[in-house]
Amino acid sequence: MSFINIAPDLALEAIDLRKTYQGRRHTAPMEALKGINLQIPRGSIFGLLGPNGAGKSTMINIFAGLTRKTSGKGSIWGFDIDEAPRQARAAIGVVPQEINMDPFFSPLESLEFQAGFYGVPKRERRSMEILDAMGLADKANAYVRELSGGMKRRLLIAKALVHNPPVLVLDEPTAGVDIELRRQLWDYVRDLHSRGSTIILTTHYLEEAQELCDQIAIINHGEVVACERKDDLLKRMDHKTLVIEPVEPLFAIPANLDAYDAELREDGALAITYRFGHQSVAELIEQVRAANIRINDLQTKEPDLEDVFLALTNDKESTAA
């Protein structure tokens, strides 16, 4: 199916999406999704973040057709997942976290089989083109079992691209891969995005989400606790940290800094967290000097996505699945 002439405003939408797993003999029913409302704009690199068990995989599996929702509505590229399931499934490619492939197939055979599964005519298949883009052309006819872990990870992405979906979900795509391969995958994600793909990324590497995503949703306990542009999300934190490296390492926090949010680091440096508009760097430095601390170096640390994530998800222990 061609999506060239279809350009909805939203790549994916969830409306009051709910999923409850039925309890067994000695366990109560578990509500994994508690009315998810989410709109993912076409053409974005969208981060879907949350602690383990927050409900991310449940939601992805519903849109991928692997899990039945309890209630609510969902659509992919404008196609309702209930009313137009074939079109909706064809509009999405999912790269799973787990590496699960037939070890006796070659990468080329894996892609051809996947293309056939989606009903892609042979004349329209791009198996070698995709393998080349993923740096696997020279392994096209090798057995999958002979590939390294990083190559298998790239093959998973290649398989998700065979039917040319406009929406690509990457579920922990860099889990367990080295830094060099992670950077290569990042570059390829950017390349896919530049060619019009909408990317939905789930990851536990928050620096990865901060570098790649333009919009981020955080799910906790089956609910969306934040969904904003990345820059707006980072502005939620109203503090910075001033890190002071003294000429001589400190062994205790000076008494005149007790009123501040000060922390003594293992290397003898002093980290003071302060709120915008309440304290200034000049005030803090004045207090440090008043304690007879000679400053060798100092730097200001801006809040990052990890700070926001922890602030929004550390209120209680996650119990959803």
Side-chain angles (χ1 to χ4, degrees), residues 279-296:
Q279 292 103 18
S280 67
V281 172
E283 174 191 338
L284 297 177
I285 292 176
E286 183 179 341
Q287 292 296 324
V288 169
R289 286 175 173 165
N292 296 319
I293 297 173
R294 292 185 298 157
I295 300 173
N296 181 52

Side-chain angles (χ1 to χ4, degrees), residues 255-273:
N256 68 322
L257 293 175
D258 283 345
Y260 297 87
D261 186 2
E263 175 190 359
L264 188 62
R265 299 195 170 180
E266 292 183 359
D267 59 358
L270 188 65
I272 307 174
T273 300

Side-chain angles (χ1 to χ4, degrees), residues 82-148:
D82 294 321
E83 298 173 3
R86 286 190 61 190
Q87 294 92 328
R89 304 296 179 264
I92 193 170
V94 178
V95 181
Q97 182 177 349
E98 299 82 11
I99 296 177
N100 184 14
M101 290 176 279
D102 192 318
F104 297 102
F105 276 21
S106 69
L108 182 58
E109 289 169 336
S110 294
L111 264 60
E112 286 292 300
F113 181 82
Q114 187 82 351
F117 177 77
Y118 278 99
V120 180
K122 286 194 173 183
R123 66 181 180 277
E124 296 179 13
R125 296 179 187 177
R126 304 176 298 114
S127 298
M128 282 306 302
E129 176 188 332
I130 295 171
L131 287 175
D132 184 55
M134 296 306 299
L136 293 171
D138 61 335
K139 301 291 183 181
N141 296 305
Y143 286 124
V144 167
R145 69 174 183 268
E146 298 172 352
L147 302 181
S148 67

